[in-house]
Structure formats: C-alpha cells, structure tokens
C-alpha cells in the first residue's frame, strides 16, 4: 500500500449495480475555457450541479482546476468566469511590446510570472483543502526532484496521509505548472512539481486505474466521459522539426509531448472500456494547434456552446441521469 497509488486490497463486490461514472478533463491551458463552457451549458440544461452526476473526477492542468472547482461546489458558470476574468491577468499578452518581451524571455526562462495565477487560485478556492471536498478527485502532477509521477487525491483510501491536508489552490498550481510557460511549483514541504500534462494530459486512464485500485467493487461498471480541449491535428512545421535540433524543438516540445499522450489515450480507452462506456467530447473545428496561452474567449466560448448543444442528447442519455454516490470521501478526522 502506498500514498501514491492507494489501496490495492480487493473489495467485496457491491450490490449497487449502477455504473461508476468518471469525468476526465484534459489539460490545455486557456483552452480549458472550452471545457468549462461545455459543462456550464449542460449544467444549465440539467438544472443541478454537473458534479452530482459523477462518482469520481480526474483532471490535468487546466482540467485539474476545473475538476477541483466542481468538487468544491463551484457552478460550472463560475469556472467560465475564472477564464474570462482572471485569464486576462494570467496570460497578459494584449499589446505588441509585451508580446515581444515575453517571446524573447521564453527562450531562457518561463514565459509568465505565476503571481497572477496563484492570486486567482487563492481568490477562487480560499483555504479549502482536499479533505473539504465531497466528490473523489485525482489530479496528476510530476515531482521534479524525484523524477516521479504524483497524483494528488482526496482522502478516499486509507493510505492518503499527506494529500488531504493540501490546499486546493496549491494542487491546482502544481498540476498547471506548464514547462516553459510557468515555473515549477515549490510546496511548503519543498517538493517541486510541474504540469501533470507531461504524464497524463488526457487523464482518462488515470481515472480508469483509480477505479480499479480504490473502487474495485465497481470496476466492471466504470464509464468515462472525457472532455478534450483540442479538436484539430497538431499543425507543426514537420520538415523543420524532422531536421531540427534544440532551437527548432525547444518551444514546440511541451505541446507536442502533451498532444501525443492525449492522442494515444483517445485511441486506447475505447479498447479498454468499449464504445458504450467511453465518450470523448472535443472542439469541432479545423484550426491548428492553438498555443496554451492564446487568450481567445469568444472562440472557446463559441466552440463550447456548439459542442454542448451537439452532444447533449447523447451525453444526457449516457451520463447525466446518474446520481453520484455519497460518502466516498472520508472525513479528515478518520
């Protein structure tokens, strides 16, 4: 048994034969506005919190922020407001002189100062910790000094002796420390974390494994709804990268690695679960691979409204009639 993976003790089969539903939210920087808008549209039609439809939520980077917000009781519309209002300060590339300076700085240091992001997360989440959440949550990150994956988790298993005390805003900051865009996050315990997208930009497999490890009594009934943030093939200068060295790859590598990981999971999950237990919703557009920091609120809100309307009937039929189980997160006093 370990803090990282949780309990692997077999659980007795449950008499509760309902599906065990997982909401998996991809990373993608400011493109997270698309996912937030989709969820806000569905929540408005549903008339109840979207979190009440899922037994477990997993999210990476910007998706981790959304998952934590939903689990903390925030309406999806409030998360849309986070991107619309705080995004201007987090990604302040609004005038040419600043863009020139940020582009030059990006070659030698992280592109953005994290203070605006940290302030926004503190304002939105306050002093809540993972133990204050009532829906189980898993948020991937990568522990830089150890070279190991790390999964922040609510206390839904016995061995979680560390994470339940962590502030939600710190978890959100750790999972969204995108390499080259933001500096790594150093915790109060001197742990150094970077963006979870380097290992699980599409966290669907993380959710699948979490059910098998810590909710195994329902592992035969798991269903996953995945909200992606990129709908087009990665538009890359293939010839330049094929022949390129450090200079050609330096700024492209994070995006390429995260996109490759997400694409492989998108191909794998239907084979693991079957088409009936897996559904991915993503933007429907022919645009190239937008930068993580591209502040385009009208674009992503529009794509979100369109995708939500297009997919609502199927998503409602397959996922939104479910009532999530209660009592899966343990009290911090236990």
């Amino acid at each position: 048994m370990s803090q990282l993976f949780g309990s692997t003790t077999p659980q007795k089969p449950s008499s509760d034969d309902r599906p065990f539903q997982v909401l998996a939210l991809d990373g993608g920087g400011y493109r997270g506005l698309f996912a937030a808008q989709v969820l806000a549209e569905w929540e408005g039609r549903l008339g109840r919190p979207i979190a009440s439809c899922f037994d477990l939520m997993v999210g990476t980077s910007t998706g981790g922020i959304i998952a934590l917000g939903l689990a903390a009781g925030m309406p999806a519309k409030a998360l849309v407001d986070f991107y619309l209002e705080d995004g201007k300060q987090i990604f302040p590339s609004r005038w040419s002189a600043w863009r020139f300076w940020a582009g030059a700085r990006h070659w030698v240091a992280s592109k953005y100062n994290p203070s605006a992001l940290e302030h926004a997360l503190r304002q939105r989440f306050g002093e809540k910790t993972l133990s204050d959440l009532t829906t189980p949550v898993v948020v991937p990150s990568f522990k830089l000094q150890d070279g190991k994956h790390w999964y922040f988790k609510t206390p839904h298993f016995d061995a979680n002796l560390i994470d339940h005390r962590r502030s939600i805003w710190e978890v959100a900051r750790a999972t969204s420390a995108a390499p080259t865009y933001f500096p790594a996050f150093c915790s109060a315990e001197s742990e150094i974390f970077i963006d979870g997208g380097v290992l699980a930009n599409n966290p669907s497999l993380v959710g699948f494994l979490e059910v098998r490890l810590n909710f195994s009594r329902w592992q035969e009934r798991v269903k996953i709804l995945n909200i992606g943030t990129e709908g087009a093939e990665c538009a890359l200068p293939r010839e330049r990268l094929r022949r390129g060295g450090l200079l050609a790859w330096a700024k492209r590598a994070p995006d390429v690695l995260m996109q490759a990981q997400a694409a492989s999971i998108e191909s794998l999950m239907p084979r693991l679960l079957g088409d009936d237990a897996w559904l991915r919703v993503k933007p429907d557009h022919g645009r190239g691979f937008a930068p993580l920091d591209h502040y385009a609120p009208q674009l992503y809100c529009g794509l979100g409204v369109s995708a939500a309307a297009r997919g609502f009937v199927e998503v409602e039929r397959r996922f939104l009639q479910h009532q999530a189980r209660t009592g899966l997160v343990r009290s911090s006093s236990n």
Side-chain angles (χ1 to χ4, degrees):
M1 184 182 295
S2 71
Q3 189 278 337
L4 186 57
F5 292 107
S7 173
T8 56
T9 304
Q11 299 177 348
K12 295 180 180 179
S14 174
S15 58
D16 183 352
D17 61 357
R18 295 177 298 153
F20 190 93
Q21 297 200 159
V22 180
L23 178 63
L25 299 156
D26 285 16
Y30 194 74
R31 298 195 301 266
L33 174 56
F34 166 80
Q37 185 67 58
V38 167
L39 295 170
E41 293 294 315
W42 289 343
E43 196 167 81
R45 296 187 183 210
L46 190 63
R48 63 184 173 104
I50 203 77
S52 68
C53 301
F54 295 93
D55 303 290
L56 170 68
M57 290 189 284
V58 294
T60 298
S61 192
T62 193
I65 295 174
I66 296 172
L68 290 165
L70 294 174
M74 294 173 63
K77 179 59 171 64
L79 291 161
V80 171
D81 292 341
F82 164 76
Y83 289 95
L84 295 178
E85 298 167 5
D86 296 319
K88 299 177 183 179
Q89 285 70 47
I90 297 169
F91 301 120
S93 53
R94 289 168 290 175
W95 42 285
S96 58
W98 191 95
R99 285 198 297 268
F100 175 81
W101 164 246
R105 168 192 167 96
H106 203 188
W107 288 102
V108 296
S110 57
K111 189 174 183 179
Y112 298 102
N113 186 310
S115 58
L117 174 60
E118 293 180 2
H119 175 74
L121 294 174
R122 283 178 177 271
Q123 288 291 106
R124 298 284 176 172
F125 292 128
E127 298 305 314
K128 288 184 178 180
T129 66
L130 288 178
S131 64
D132 293 319
L133 306 181
T134 55
T135 301
V137 175
V138 180
V139 176
S141 187
F142 189 81
K143 207 170 182 181
L144 197 58
Q145 75 269 37
D146 296 334
K148 295 180 179 179
H149 48 185
W150 189 268
Y151 301 95
F152 297 104
K153 301 182 181 184
T154 47
H156 52 261
F157 60 93
D158 290 332
N160 190 355
L161 304 178
I162 299 175
D163 283 348
H164 74 278
R165 300 188 183 95
R166 295 190 191 269
S167 298
I168 297 174
W169 82 263
E170 293 182 305
V171 175
R173 170 68 176 89
T175 191
S176 58
T180 80
Y181 290 95
F182 291 106
F185 176 70
C186 184
S187 73
E189 291 77 26
S190 298
E191 304 156 298
I192 303 173
F193 295 102
I194 62 172
D195 197 301
V198 301
L199 63 99
N201 200 55
N202 180 335
S204 297
L205 183 60
V206 172
F208 174 78
L209 292 175
E210 186 66 19
V211 175
R212 291 184 66 88
L213 289 168
N214 293 314
F215 301 105
S216 59
R217 68 188 64 183
W218 296 297
Q219 64 181 318
E220 301 302 323
R221 292 187 285 277
V222 62
K223 295 171 60 180
I224 299 179
L225 174 62
N226 174 221
I227 311 296
T229 59
E230 179 56 42
E233 290 295 325
C234 187
L236 295 170
R238 289 176 296 217
E239 187 62 23
R240 181 156 62 88
L241 292 182
R242 183 176 72 85
R243 299 174 179 274
L246 289 174
L247 188 62
W249 273 97
K251 291 176 67 174
R252 295 286 188 175
D255 287 344
V256 174
L257 293 173
M258 291 181 187
Q259 176 70 1
Q261 188 276 337
S264 66
I265 295 299
E266 183 175 359
S267 174
L268 173 65
M269 294 309 299
R271 301 181 185 185
L272 284 176
L273 293 175
D275 290 334
D276 291 340
W278 157 262
L279 180 64
R280 177 171 170 83
V281 175
K282 59 185 180 180
D284 182 18
H285 65 97
R287 296 175 180 270
F289 194 65
L292 299 177
D293 59 342
H294 183 49
Y295 180 76
Q298 291 183 334
L299 170 64
Y300 293 124
C301 283
L303 290 170
V305 170
S306 175
R310 190 173 58 251
F312 179 73
V313 172
E314 182 177 9
V315 171
E316 181 186 35
R317 178 179 64 83
R318 293 173 58 178
F319 292 94
L320 301 187
Q321 298 179 36
H322 178 73
Q323 184 62 50
R325 296 166 175 83
T326 60
L328 296 181
V329 178
R330 306 178 184 194
S331 168
S332 58
S333 63
N334 290 343

